[in-house]
Amino acid sequence: MGCITDLPGPQIEERLEDKKQAALAFAQANPLDRAIFGTPNARFGIVTTGKAHLDLMEALRLLNIDADRAREMGIDVYKVGMVWPLEHEAALEFARGKQELLVVEEKRGIIESQLKEYFYDDPGRKPERMVGKRDQDGQRMIPWTGELSPQQLAKILAARLDFNFDLGLSKAAVHIKPDAPVITVPGAARTPYFCSGCPHSTSTRVPEGSEAMAGIGCHFMASWMDRDTSSLIQMGGEGVNWIARSAYNGGKHIFQNLGEGTFYHSGSLAIRQAVAAKCNITYKVLFNDAVAMTGGQSVDGPITVLAVAQMVKAEGVGALRIVSDHPEQFRPADFPAGTGFHHRDELDAVQRELRNISGVTVLIYQQTCATEKRRLRKRGKMVDPKKFAVINPLVCEGCGDCSVASNCLSVEPVETEFGRKRQINLNSCNKDFTCLGGFCPSFVTVEGGTRKKAQGTIEDAIALAQGLPAPDMPGLSKPYDILITGVGGTGVVTIGQLIAMAAHLEGKGASVLDFTGFAQKFGPVLSYLRLAPSDEQLHQVRIEPSSADALIGCDMVVSSSAKASATYRRDQTRAVMNGAEMPTGDFTRNRDADLRASVRIKRVRDAVSVLDVVDANALSEQLMGDTVFANVLMLGAAWQAGLVPLSHEALMRAIELNAVVPDKNKRAFAWGRMAQANPAQIAALLGQVPQVEQSFEDMLARRVDFLRDYQNPQWAQRFSDRIATVVDAETQTCGEAGALSQAAAKGLFKLMSYKDEYEVARLHTQTGFIEGLSQQFEGDFTVVHHLAPPLLPGKTDWRGRPVKRQFGGWIRPMMRLLAKMKPLRGTGLDPFGYTQERRMERALIAEYEALLARLVGGLTAGNRDQAANIAAMVQEIRGYGPVKEGAVVTAKAAIKTAMRSYEGA
């Protein structure tokens, strides 16, 4: 009877030897290795395999060595199909009689070491010389660390051919890789971030004084979001690294983030070990209903909040708390005894409670993934609430507190005549509404209606584009490299797919390599697209440094990054770039984050041969009614600019085969052509007029009119008189009114138009804001205000600030009445004027007027810029209530320090 098991034993070594010999016999009978050129009596042989073979073939192309020239030179290439064990008979025959054998391998020299062993046993077929990881003098040659590249290999190959044949290739190889114009722009950067409305924006917060450890999943991004979150460990090891640390830190408490998918995979074992080790740790099981990091798949296995709760209780954890945006969905009777249920607004208090309980505790935070919600709503599988958040820009102070509350990228900056404010991008908003928690009365929600579907322009874009001249296309006699940059989650990868499909339809070769990583979370995307007359001419998928022929830049931040610009070549790369300033995660943490758009455009223009800039997002919104078509519009612009050497017919067919609103995408492509070839015609269609920079006089007059409406003519006159004093002094000292007058006018206006109850009511009811909502929404909708009136006491949020309340349309008549009561402002009859905040605001005006007098008194032509900077510091006083109070303290300290320097104290 034969053995039915294969248990370990001494015989296993014999079986392995037999298997090895069988594999060699198979390889000899069914050759897996082959000579590429079949050069008779080749003097120079190259042995390669896998990626190194593709790198070698590309290196030969860079050196202009094709099959015919290789045969003429006496070169042949041996491609190994099975690296280990190496079939020795064919390999030795290939090596026989060679003047030199060059072994090209990525990483370790596995083939090279086997050949050396074979040559020792069979010296008769040994070449005169073999080199690879080291040359004939023992010096390092082909590196085994890092990544091997064709450009790097071309120089090595040129040196070896010159050593053997004295061809002078090394001199030409120097110019294969010119210095890349690598771009670096300090400031805001495109980094992966939580999607709009992501549960992790709330769930990964920890109370002041606590720390958290990261884990595998989207929530790992919290580690670069100033959330006191750090560390990283393998899936299923969450918290294991805390055992050793806790033995030396006095049993300190830590929070450990753990996704429910990871919990089901192996994370439950991590909780078990923490219980066994008696660690002081709280596991936050982040239950989001999807494996969001890798595309929104369902979690493997039957897992529910109830199941997790029962499992962790069975493992012996202490306190268990469930936190959700809808805690009412759970039946407490189904859960283990002692389980607490809380709304996500109570997260901070719940965490403070758990960190004070010794041992292992668990908090299950349940909220559906925002991106998954969006998918389900589109498919009709989840109710899409008829509710939209909108910001009144006149009421908004641009303090950024709503971004702090929500950590949401849909809360975007918007530049206005009164400075930077915030707006909600309803195209990307996933209706989480945590932004409403910002301490600000500018928010309203439109409820019960729907957004009006923007129709875009009625012009026939395709008909207009037919009259455009045909682009001047480059020839495609050799590989042609296109770099496509963009933002994850916006469909930028689709552009590479469309071009590759069009190339396939024309019988041409194409390859696409997408660098995404966390990019679907609004991070950077780089698509390396290579075209060639045939697939055989594409030996690699990466675009080498200084090799890009074209750039389709769908995002200026990624286009001006070091990684993208490494592929540019000043005398070769032609580019079309999107000029839209798409916010990065920096804007959620820094209200004044600056993309430095003009700097980025200039740096890219200096790094390429030709650059055209198209504001694709704005044009897509105006012409198509949605920014989602911006990338296809960019493709149309790039094609019209002659950057995509494929036919219009093939690209249109590729759009059809993609089967995603093909008619609209064809229109977007046509508008892109128009934007590139005839931008003036588009501007005329949209009724756009060239923007003229506002003069100082116009800016001043606008503010005088505003203050007249704000209070009365006397109030406006006070403003005019104070600024006139500054203007006169600056003109007498410096010859003209300039930076100081500008800063003083903006600063004094800001303080004199402080937004008290009367002003907020006026800006909501007397500026057309409410009426203007009917231009964005339709149906029987109501407008709800979210306010925290100072005279109405109530609860406080996790930051200790008053929680806002909802007020329906019934409050607007009261607001209109309140707005008419503005003459009471600052008088003894003002019921709000006695609050600390109002007294502070009135005092700030007088203090600033005194500051301007001091600045004017010490003004010289040499310190004007310094004076202007000091006068502008009050612009940092933004927000309402506690936000403004904190800003005042910071601004006053900065002004005090700056004035010491200004006055020479």
Side-chain angles (χ1 to χ4, degrees):
M1 181 177 178
C3 182
I4 60 175
T5 60
D6 193 13
L7 298 176
Q11 66 272 25
I12 191 171
E13 296 176 0
E14 297 177 6
R15 290 198 298 273
L16 289 175
E17 175 62 22
D18 292 341
K19 290 177 181 180
K20 178 182 176 183
Q21 294 303 320
L24 286 170
F26 177 87
Q28 189 169 2
N30 305 275
L32 301 176
D33 307 340
R34 61 191 177 92
I36 301 300
F37 300 139
T39 306
N41 303 316
R43 294 182 296 157
F44 188 90
I46 308 172
V47 180
T48 69
T49 189
K51 174 183 175 295
H53 171 71
L54 297 176
D55 290 337
L56 171 69
M57 299 307 292
E58 182 68 8
L60 288 169
R61 186 187 73 80
L62 293 174
L63 293 172
N64 295 316
I65 299 176
D66 57 12
D68 292 337
R69 191 177 180 207
R71 295 187 188 100
E72 178 185 339
M73 295 168 64
I75 300 173
D76 206 351
V77 175
Y78 186 78
K79 184 178 184 299
V80 174
M82 184 171 71
V83 174
W84 193 94
L86 177 66
E87 200 287 293
H88 57 281
E89 282 301 322
L92 289 174
E93 280 304 306
F94 178 81
R96 186 197 295 270
K98 294 291 188 295
Q99 180 176 318
E100 179 170 304
L101 193 67
L102 170 64
V103 184
V104 179
E105 295 178 86
E106 190 105 29
K107 304 301 182 183
R108 290 177 55 197
I110 297 175
I111 296 174
E112 186 175 356
S113 61
Q114 291 179 87
L115 285 172
K116 288 177 180 177
E117 180 180 339
Y118 294 167
F119 293 150
Y120 185 87
D121 294 337
D122 194 347
R125 290 187 279 186
K126 178 182 177 182
E128 294 181 25
R129 178 173 52 254
M130 185 175 76
V131 295
K133 296 303 176 187
R134 295 182 181 274
D135 64 12
Q136 70 281 355
D137 298 321
Q139 301 299 313
R140 289 189 175 186
M141 192 172 70
I142 297 178
W144 61 271
T145 58
E147 181 180 2
L148 192 62
S149 74
Q151 289 181 349
Q152 180 185 34
L153 191 55
K155 294 182 179 181
I156 295 173
L157 182 58
R160 298 316 308 168
L161 292 174
D162 285 350
F163 182 84
N164 284 274
F165 305 121
D166 193 22
L167 301 173
L169 291 174
S170 296
K171 193 172 183 180
V174 172
H175 303 289
I176 288 177
K177 180 185 175 183
D179 292 334
V182 178
I183 299 172
T184 55
V185 181
R190 182 72 62 200
T191 54
Y193 217 76
F194 295 149
C195 300
S196 298
C198 177
H200 298 321
S201 286
T202 299
S203 66
T204 56
R205 289 196 182 102
V206 293
E208 185 177 356
S210 288
E211 297 178 9
M213 295 195 299
I216 301 300
C218 293
H219 53 84
F220 174 70
M221 291 185 281
S223 61
W224 56 73
M225 294 183 189
D226 302 327
R227 297 206 159 197
D228 297 308
T229 300
S230 60
S231 185
L232 178 63
I233 201 165
Q234 81 280 359
M235 178 177 282
E238 286 82 357
V240 174
N241 47 342
W242 187 245
I243 293 178
R245 291 171 60 185
S246 61
Y248 298 96
N249 63 18
K252 181 181 175 182
H253 177 270
I254 196 80
F255 288 97
Q256 173 66 62
N257 296 326
L258 176 65
E260 88 273 32
T262 300
F263 172 88
Y264 191 82
H265 176 272
S266 51
S268 59
L269 299 179
I271 295 179
R272 179 184 295 176
Q273 63 82 32
V275 172
K278 298 181 175 61
C279 278
N280 194 16
I281 186 171
T282 296
Y283 280 90
K284 289 203 289 185
V285 180
L286 309 178
F287 199 105
N288 303 323
D289 301 321
V291 185
M293 184 174 68
T294 55
Q297 302 91 337
S298 298
V299 176
D300 289 335
I303 183 169
T304 63
V305 172
L306 176 59
V308 173
Q310 292 172 333
M311 289 174 68
V312 297
K313 265 300 184 180
E315 293 287 0
V317 304
L320 171 63
R321 300 291 182 266
I322 313 295
V323 176
S324 173
D325 54 344
H326 295 290
E328 67 278 1
Q329 66 184 294
F330 302 110
R331 281 171 38 92
D334 296 336
F335 285 77
T339 301
F341 298 86
H342 305 269
H343 191 273
R344 66 176 179 176
D345 292 343
E346 304 173 61
L347 175 63
D348 187 75
V350 172
Q351 291 185 109
R352 289 177 184 273
E353 175 199 7
L354 293 178
R355 73 180 180 182
N356 292 325
I357 299 175
S358 298
V360 180
T361 57
V362 171
L363 186 159
I364 304 175
Y365 185 99
Q366 186 278 331
Q367 185 182 345
T368 303
C369 165
T371 301
E372 187 64 14
K373 277 184 181 179
R374 195 177 189 91
R375 293 191 186 104
L376 293 174
R377 286 167 179 168
K378 283 185 175 181
R379 297 167 185 168
K381 297 182 179 180
M382 178 179 281
V383 175
D384 188 357
K386 294 182 178 181
K387 182 177 178 180
F388 306 88
V390 181
I391 295 175
N392 185 334
L394 286 173
V395 180
C396 175
E397 282 274 289
C399 68
D401 193 55
C402 51
S403 292
V404 174
S406 65
N407 196 45
C408 181
L409 288 176
S410 288
V411 184
E412 299 180 347
V414 57
E415 304 299 335
T416 74
E417 62 174 327
F418 298 125
R420 173 175 285 187
K421 305 297 185 76
R422 286 290 193 270
Q423 66 181 359
I424 305 298
N425 184 340
L426 296 179
N427 290 320
S428 62
C429 175
N430 286 322
K431 301 183 180 181
D432 181 61
F433 300 115
T434 48
C435 55
L436 300 177
F439 195 78
C440 168
S442 67
F443 278 90
V444 301
T445 49
V446 178
E447 303 181 12
T450 57
R451 290 182 68 195
K452 284 187 174 180
K453 294 182 179 179
Q455 298 300 318
T457 179
I458 61 173
E459 296 292 336
D460 186 348
I462 295 176
L464 290 172
Q466 285 177 350
L468 296 176
D472 183 14
M473 290 295 181
L476 196 60
S477 58
K478 61 180 183 178
Y480 182 87
D481 296 342
I482 304 175
L483 176 68
I484 306 169
T485 65
V487 180
T490 65
V492 64
V493 170
T494 302
I495 304 305
Q497 294 172 345
L498 290 174
I499 297 174
M501 175 54 73
H504 171 72
L505 293 172
E506 291 190 353
K508 296 182 171 65
S511 68
V512 184
L513 175 62
D514 297 319
F515 283 85
T516 55
F518 264 114
Q520 71 270 26
K521 311 304 176 187
F522 300 99
V525 173
L526 288 91
S527 290
Y528 291 170
L529 176 66
R530 307 195 73 220
L531 304 176
S534 64
D535 287 327
E536 290 72 24
Q537 292 176 269
L538 294 175
H539 304 301
Q540 65 159 15
V541 291
R542 184 191 294 271
I543 296 178
E544 287 287 277
S546 304
S547 299
D549 294 289
L551 163 69
I552 303 177
C554 298
D555 175 55
M556 71 163 65
V557 177
V558 183
S559 299
S560 57
S561 66
K563 188 171 184 179
S565 61
T567 68
Y568 303 163
R569 183 165 173 166
R570 288 187 179 93
D571 61 348
Q572 173 177 303
T573 308
R574 295 185 299 154
V576 172
M577 188 171 74
N578 187 357
E581 296 187 45
M582 290 180 274
T584 67
D586 304 89
F587 287 90
T588 65
R589 303 188 303 277
N590 177 7
R591 63 191 183 187
D592 294 320
D594 188 359
L595 292 184
R596 304 182 68 189
S598 60
V599 174
R600 292 181 185 277
I601 291 173
K602 183 180 185 303
R603 296 280 175 84
V604 174
R605 179 165 281 122
D606 291 343
V608 300
S609 63
V610 177
L611 172 66
D612 293 314
V613 179
V614 176
D615 193 343
N617 285 50
L619 290 176
S620 182
E621 178 79 33
Q622 294 164 338
L623 297 167
M624 298 292 299
D626 199 325
T627 57
V628 74
F629 299 101
N631 292 337
V632 177
L633 190 147
M634 285 297 301
L635 175 58
W639 185 82
Q640 186 64 36
L643 306 189
V644 184
L646 299 169
S647 69
H648 182 271
E649 292 74 20
L651 286 165
M652 292 304 98
R653 180 56 180 153
I655 290 175
E656 292 171 358
L657 292 173
N658 191 48
V660 178
V661 289
D663 291 341
K664 290 186 176 181
N665 277 309
K666 287 181 179 180
R667 284 181 57 205
F669 186 93
W671 282 126
R673 294 185 60 195
M674 291 289 295
Q676 172 64 27
N678 200 343
Q681 186 174 359
I682 288 184
L685 288 172
L686 295 173
Q688 296 174 341
V689 295
Q691 291 187 348
V692 179
E693 186 175 353
Q694 189 181 44
S695 67
F696 173 68
E697 291 74 16
D698 290 341
M699 182 269 287
L700 202 61
R702 176 73 177 94
R703 282 161 171 73
V704 169
D705 290 342
F706 191 98
L707 290 173
R708 189 179 294 112
D709 294 335
Y710 173 86
Q711 182 74 358
N712 53 40
Q714 293 77 22
W715 192 250
Q717 189 60 47
R718 175 178 172 180
F719 170 79
S720 295
D721 293 343
R722 297 297 186 276
I723 299 304
T725 302
V726 177
V727 170
D728 291 343
E730 187 176 14
T731 302
Q732 292 176 10
T733 305
C734 305
E736 62 177 355
L740 176 58
S741 297
Q742 286 267 359
K746 292 179 179 179
L748 184 57
F749 168 78
K750 178 175 182 55
L751 297 180
M752 290 184 68
S753 61
Y754 62 89
K755 298 181 178 69
D756 56 11
E757 289 74 10
Y758 308 111
E759 179 64 356
V760 170
R762 184 183 77 87
L763 295 176
H764 271 313
T765 60
Q766 296 182 5
T767 60
F769 169 70
I770 299 296
E771 294 76 8
L773 293 175
S774 61
Q775 303 298 315
Q776 302 179 56
F777 303 94
E778 59 188 0
D780 185 18
F781 65 84
T782 59
V783 179
V784 177
H785 295 264
H786 297 260
L787 310 168
L791 302 183
L792 294 179
K795 297 190 301 182
T796 56
D797 65 9
W798 59 277
R799 292 178 290 178
R801 299 172 181 174
V803 174
K804 294 196 290 188
R805 304 179 183 185
Q806 297 184 29
F807 298 87
W810 59 267
I811 199 173
R812 279 192 292 282
M814 298 177 63
M815 283 185 168
R816 295 187 187 96
L817 177 61
L818 187 60
K820 293 178 181 179
M821 296 171 63
K822 66 182 181 181
L824 297 179
R825 179 185 287 127
T827 69
L829 299 177
D830 182 359
F832 308 104
Y834 297 97
T835 65
Q836 179 182 350
E837 185 174 353
R838 300 294 166 256
R839 292 198 302 269
M840 175 189 71
E841 289 165 337
R842 292 195 298 270
L844 283 173
I845 298 172
E847 291 171 9
Y848 190 67
E849 289 174 328
L851 175 67
L852 292 179
R854 291 170 64 188
L855 291 173
V856 167
L859 184 65
T860 66
N863 67 10
R864 176 165 64 171
D865 288 343
Q866 185 181 8
N869 290 335
I870 296 172
M873 287 181 177
V874 295
Q875 296 291 340
E876 295 303 307
I877 300 176
R878 309 181 214 169
Y880 293 83
V883 178
K884 188 169 192 174
E885 290 170 5
V888 168
V889 173
T890 302
K892 280 187 174 182
I895 290 173
K896 184 176 181 180
T897 301
M899 284 302 293
R900 288 200 193 102
S901 174
Y902 182 76
E903 295 178 332

